[in-house]
Amino acid sequence: MNVGRSLIVLALMIWAPLATLAENHVTLPDPTPQQDVVEVEQPRAYRLRVGVRSQARPFSYQSETLLDVITAATPGVLAKQNYTGYIARICDAVLNEMLLDPRNPNPLKATDIEIVDVDVLRRDDPGKPPPRFAYLQSNDPDVPPVIDILCDPATITNDRRVGLMISSPVYLTGISYIVRKNAGNRRFFDEDFLCPRPNGDNTKPLFLFGLVGNTTAGTYGVRALIKAQEIPQARDALIDYLKADSEVCLGVGADLAKAQNVTYKGGVRFFRTHAEAAAAFCNGEVIYYIGDREIITAHASTHPACDFEGGDQTYTIDRYAIFGRIDYDKDNDQAKLVARFFEVLSQKIVGNPSILDQAFNDTFSPRKPTPSLDIFFRAVRGTP
Amino acid sequence: MNYFIYAGVFFFGALALLIEARRNYRESLRQAPFKTHPILEDAQIDELCTPTDGLYGFLIYSLLYLVSYIVILSSAELYDLIRSANLAKLEVGATTDWEGLGEDAFNLRGTEYAKPIFVSAFLIAVMSLSAMQPIENTVRSAAHRLAGIPRGVYRVIDALQTKQVMDAMETEGPLARHFREAMQANNAISDIGNYEHEITDALRVIDTIYPVISPNNRSRHFPFDEVEKLDDMSDKFYEEMKRFRNKIDHFTPTTDALIELHNDAFGIANDTKALFAVHYIRNHRSVKNIDISPRLTRIVTSIDRNYNPEKNSLAAAALAASLVSLFVVGALYYTWTDNALKIYPGSAKTEIREEWRAQPASIHYIPAPDIKVKGQDKELSKLRDVPFARPDECIRRHAQGRIAFGRQSPGAQPTDADNTGDQITFNTTCAEVLETATAQYLRNNHNEILYQTLWEVFQGLLVTIAAIGMAISGRGARMENASWNRNWSLNRIPFLRLFGACILPALAAVIAATTGELAKLFVDSDFNIPQSALVRFFDHNMTFLLMMMPLGFILAFGSIVILDRHSSLSKELTVLMLGGLTGLCTVGVLWLVIFVTYTHGVVDLGLFFTDRTRDLVILSSVPVTFILFFAAFIEATEEPETDARGRPVSDWLTVRIWRKLTGFRGRVVPATKGASP
């Protein structure tokens, strides 16, 4: 009995200083700044950031009414914020399926998804707004990119493949142009349009071409128009625009452009969004509006009494895809979600009925796909 | 679509047509076209022409086939292009052609390759239909005529039967004298009665013409007819003449013998004319070395004068209508531009700026307080580097009605601000500058106005000549085939036949209008028409072009009626009634064209005409003046009528009425008309 008591007392005597020592160790001040630790360990507010466009009709845009949004499909996170359009519908359907996924041990909730309007970001940028693909990248390794997935009519190009995940192509279109009715007559082009000109009441500059900057229309779209010998009267202006050392513009038109803080090069005016470009086109500030076929015609059509012609032929072949960024090293949860997004997307594309058909019918019905687009759909989904 | 394959298919389509054309053409050469004349009844066309002529005729014939092929194929391709463009408006997605997955670019399954073959087969099938026979005949006749193959024989024979030619025939040649002497010797004059005159007339024809086509003389008068068959015919005719002379020598005054002699005389006279006609045509429509025979010279002159008055009238009317229309259209454009500048001087912006620059320096420093650049808190008067602020302000003030110039002077309504010292100077200078600059603009744009004027006249001529030319051609071909009767009366108009003859001219008008408009588009786009421009062109102009069809129809109808009926009407009635009615209908159709195709509001510059009236006058200027001149020239080239005593009778209705009322030169008797087309 005494031996037992002696052992207990001994144990207590050994444990007590050790316990004290241990307690003292925990309370020692950490050499790492407390603030940084908090920032690293703080959980993200959103687990997935999806970039959409509010002004890229009819592929990704924010509708003012629910008429364009509601379909037979269950509205997802994008539809609930009135984002709709062909690409937006595809993304919405995929996100919906991810929300309901029972196999995910850490299920994704609607509140985990942040909808980022890229057009709003670009519009509100006080300086020169970056290309929208820049929002998928981050220059600072410690700062995550603004978006993980870009759901907009983005053309697949070689440059855009680098460092990004790309879905299979989901749409086939091309660069086209529209012109105000009766604006393309001969006498019109006798005048020099290599630079902006004063327009009508001399309050706004008049440009030969208008396009949304940082899109494919700006470079190889214009080249395709020249190659197809379209708008022969304006060929010089287009070539001048493509030249690196385009002539510096002077005169009333240039002064007006400067006064209005207009971005342009030669006779080509750049816009931040298609809504701005279409408004300028319909107000007679640009004569030719260049861009992806469906986008330019859809935006111009939203303006009442904006009579235009053209836009019924494409001069390039552009494949749209959904782009994403996966970084397994830095954010495993984000990477898994983005990978899961593309996994579900590929399943829904080849499924029957295909998400491509559903989105097409919901967006474009009663219009039909062109023969080229029809063949493209058959090839992508693998069924007639 | 692979363009090389398409070119290959196009070539094969054309080759198939050429083979068919060759077959048709060879068949046509084996026809005996002059069955009504015994001397020519066995003569096939290929026996009456040299191999070179035959080949030349085939080239022209096949060219017409190929032109039809190209026109129809182009129409089909254009239709496809426009249809695709219109369908694309209802579709979304890429429209650019791209080969499908695994598709072989060289397979011929593509429907676009089928069109040339289909068009070729269609033409071959259609041309073999009996309903298309008149068209085929027209085409073949045109080829024969262009190649010099003797299809104009009937025309020459007709010319030989006119009163003028008959009057020029020998009064009594050797054969006629021989006949008279033979009859007198047999005491048969009283037995043959009225037959004597008819037989004598027939013999006069033979006496006059036979010397130049006799085997011994014909090579002297027709040195260019290198056709073997003509030698045979000439010999055969010589034998017939000998037989006929024998019959006269051994004539016995019985009824049967008399009838036989009468028939023979007529048959040989007809053969004489037919043989002469073939020789004449083969000899490039001429008879050589006839100076010593004044009668023959008169006859040939008469035939020459009767040759194609309608085509000569067409050419003369084209020239006259061009001159009148150039004046009318040019004056209208100039007046319109001049007046438009008075109202919208902004068109002369460049000239206004240049003129302003030439003003004294003090004018440049007059403040223009109205002008402000949006977003820029500075008056333009202070922006010395903005070069055109003041001239542009001048234009703006004019648009606001504060400044007027030229004929508008009383209309200026200056504001209070305009009445300050500087601004009065500014406004006065502005009015002067506007006056000078707009005048300069007009001078600078003379070429532009002239170009537009020339173009309008050219386009009008193209449509009018296509329609009327095709109508004349078709009528001429049918007359040569003896399938056109021009002796119809105005109270029993053969509408069906006339309508049938107007269908092709109506189509020709559409094709001519389309060709002309496309040519202008081609020139205006620096000889490089993009596909979209082509689609837009047809989208905008299809209605206008199709409405050229009724215009062509009316012009063709009017011209055929004028050609058929002018000989029975006075000059005034032909020009005013037939020509005038056609002109009125033309104006009506063109008014309808403007009514249907002009969708913009009426532009009124305060002149006595609006833009619609202006365009109606411009569009109708050529066709209306053309048809009036055409009628006038047809009447002018008509042979004069003669009365019972052989004196010329005026074809002017007013002169006839005057003579009837006054009794001057006595009674005007119904007269035989001279040769007419």
Side-chain angles (χ1 to χ4, degrees), chain B residues 257-314:
Chain B
L258 185 60
I259 291 172
E260 194 181 336
L261 188 70
H262 181 265
N263 287 346
D264 283 354
F266 267 74
I268 290 180
N270 277 341
D271 282 353
T272 310
K273 287 187 270 188
L275 200 57
F276 174 83
V278 172
H279 276 87
Y280 173 76
I281 289 167
R282 287 300 321 155
N283 201 51
H284 307 156
R285 295 184 180 275
S286 63
V287 187
K288 305 294 178 192
N289 304 318
I290 51 170
D291 305 345
I292 51 166
S293 169
R295 290 183 182 280
L296 264 175
T297 308
R298 275 176 63 194
I299 290 169
V300 171
T301 307
S302 183
I303 296 171
D304 282 343
R305 198 167 56 219
N306 275 298
Y307 176 59
N308 264 339
E310 62 267 46
K311 283 190 181 165
N312 290 316
S313 300
L314 184 83

Side-chain angles (χ1 to χ4, degrees), chain B residues 19-266:
Chain B
I19 292 169
E20 170 66 8
R22 185 170 176 274
R23 191 185 66 78
N24 261 348
Y25 188 73
R26 286 170 68 88
E27 209 169 89
S28 76
L29 288 183
R30 281 194 287 274
Q31 288 176 358
F34 311 116
K35 289 177 182 165
T36 49
H37 300 277
I39 189 73
L40 301 175
E41 66 184 350
D42 298 328
Q44 296 181 1
I45 293 175
D46 58 353
E47 292 171 331
L48 295 174
C49 64
T50 61
T52 316
D53 291 340
L55 181 66
Y56 186 45
F58 171 68
L59 287 178
I60 294 165
Y61 186 63
S62 54
L63 190 69
L64 295 172
Y65 260 80
L66 289 179
V67 167
S68 310
Y69 175 61
I70 289 168
V71 167
I72 296 177
L73 184 61
S74 307
S75 309
E77 291 294 356
L78 277 173
Y79 166 76
D80 199 36
L81 189 68
I82 295 163
R83 182 179 162 275
S84 304
N86 283 322
L87 272 182
K89 288 176 187 166
L90 306 172
E91 294 172 340
V92 287
T95 61
T96 316
D97 280 341
W98 61 308
E99 301 299 336
L101 294 174
E103 190 171 313
D104 176 11
F106 288 92
N107 80 43
L108 298 177
R109 283 181 302 169
T111 49
E112 60 267 26
Y113 297 131
K115 273 192 223 88
I117 300 292
F118 175 78
V119 169
S120 175
F122 171 78
L123 268 175
I124 290 170
V126 160
M127 290 303 248
S128 64
L129 287 176
S130 57
M132 296 297 285
Q133 211 59 40
I135 295 172
E136 210 273 335
N137 281 341
T138 307
V139 172
R140 199 191 313 138
S141 292
H144 285 175
R145 193 182 304 177
L146 288 170
I149 296 171
R151 289 302 305 267
V153 168
Y154 288 114
R155 210 176 255 279
V156 180
I157 293 172
D158 278 350
L160 285 171
Q161 287 166 342
T162 57
K163 191 168 185 301
Q164 284 77 16
V165 173
M166 283 307 293
D167 288 346
M169 295 283 181
E170 291 284 353
T171 45
E172 188 179 63
L175 199 58
R177 195 180 311 119
H178 184 71
F179 170 71
R180 182 174 53 80
E181 288 167 0
M183 293 302 109
Q184 283 170 348
N186 288 319
N187 291 322
I189 295 288
S190 57
D191 296 329
I192 58 176
N194 288 337
Y195 275 25
E196 186 200 355
H197 289 299
E198 294 177 7
I199 293 173
T200 306
D201 279 349
L203 297 183
R204 282 172 58 211
V205 172
I206 299 168
D207 278 334
T208 313
I209 298 176
Y210 179 71
V212 291
I213 56 171
S214 68
N216 296 333
N217 296 340
R218 70 182 193 86
S219 60
R220 186 161 59 244
H221 299 294
F222 302 103
F224 302 126
D225 57 346
E226 310 146 342
V227 183
E228 200 178 333
K229 184 73 177 176
L230 286 178
D231 294 336
D232 298 341
M233 284 194 290
S234 189
D235 294 342
K236 185 178 163 188
F237 187 65
Y238 178 69
E239 294 302 320
E240 275 189 27
M241 282 290 292
K242 272 169 62 179
R243 271 202 303 275
F244 182 65
R245 189 180 280 267
N246 275 336
K247 271 190 186 173
I248 295 175
D249 290 342
H250 302 102
F251 178 74
T252 50
T254 61
T255 308
D256 288 346
L258 185 60
I259 291 172
E260 194 181 336
L261 188 70
H262 181 265
N263 287 346
D264 283 354
F266 267 74

Side-chain angles (χ1 to χ4, degrees), chain B residues 306-383:
Chain B
N306 275 298
Y307 176 59
N308 264 339
E310 62 267 46
K311 283 190 181 165
N312 290 316
S313 300
L314 184 83
L319 181 67
S322 309
L323 294 175
V324 173
S325 300
L326 277 175
F327 177 76
V328 171
V329 175
L332 269 177
Y333 267 131
Y334 192 86
T335 311
W336 184 268
T337 312
D338 184 30
N339 223 56
L341 276 173
K342 296 287 183 291
I343 297 173
Y344 309 112
S347 308
K349 191 177 278 182
T350 309
E351 286 79 4
I352 292 170
R353 286 170 176 176
E354 282 176 6
E355 190 61 31
W356 196 276
R357 197 180 290 158
Q359 296 299 312
S362 57
I363 298 297
H364 293 269
Y365 289 90
I366 292 175
D370 295 359
I371 322 166
K372 282 187 180 178
V373 175
K374 192 178 175 186
Q376 200 166 3
D377 191 21
K378 279 196 274 186
E379 290 176 5
L380 275 191
S381 57
K382 294 171 187 166
L383 296 174

